[in-house]
Amino acid sequence: MISLSLPFPPSTNGLFKNARRGRVKTDHYTRWITEAGWTLASQHPPRLSGRYVLGLTLHPPTRAARDLDNFVKAVSDLLVAHEVIEGDHLAKRIVLEWSDDPPAKPGSVTITLEAVT
């Protein structure tokens, strides 16, 4: 099993904006990709081949109301871009939860990945 910690991801609703040239990444999403990418790389995760189970435990930075399912896309796309997983279409199961405990680092997400054999 692989365990990683990344900065709290942006909501799917805030990843893209409409522009004259079509949909483009928001500044917030672009900054998160950079910060989360460096954080991910510093943890030297191994690469998984084939199907996997993804777990996300979210430690929100504030008590604002959020939809739990809006945080998968940014994390999955980052894992694909950094070749930790081959493709997010290979997810067999995704487990999402809000953390009940105060996080060591508020505004973070704990990620677990497990290969499915």
Side-chain angles (χ1 to χ4, degrees):
M1 181 179 302
I2 299 168
S3 183
L4 305 163
S5 180
L6 294 178
F8 194 80
S11 168
T12 301
N13 298 330
L15 301 183
F16 297 95
K17 62 184 175 185
N18 293 323
R20 279 185 241 157
R21 60 182 189 263
R23 286 178 17 136
V24 296
K25 292 177 184 168
T26 62
D27 293 340
H28 176 68
Y29 185 32
T30 301
R31 284 191 307 273
W32 181 84
I33 289 169
T34 301
E35 180 184 0
W38 282 108
T39 304
L40 178 63
S42 73
Q43 295 173 68
H44 307 287
R47 293 183 175 156
L48 286 182
S49 295
R51 307 218 14 137
Y52 63 91
V53 174
L54 172 64
L56 299 180
T57 302
L58 294 142
H59 312 278
T62 67
R63 294 187 184 271
R66 296 174 171 87
D67 292 342
L68 182 61
D69 61 341
N70 277 347
F71 298 97
V72 178
K73 177 141 184 68
V75 172
S76 288
D77 287 353
L78 186 77
L79 294 172
V80 172
H82 284 262
E83 299 179 349
V84 176
I85 56 176
E86 294 178 82
D88 48 8
H89 67 283
L90 294 169
K92 179 172 174 81
R93 183 172 60 245
I94 299 173
V95 180
L96 303 171
E97 64 182 347
W98 293 115
S99 173
D100 290 332
D101 301 319
K105 183 176 179 186
S108 64
V109 58
T110 303
I111 300 162
T112 57
L113 287 163
E114 187 173 353
V116 175
T117 54

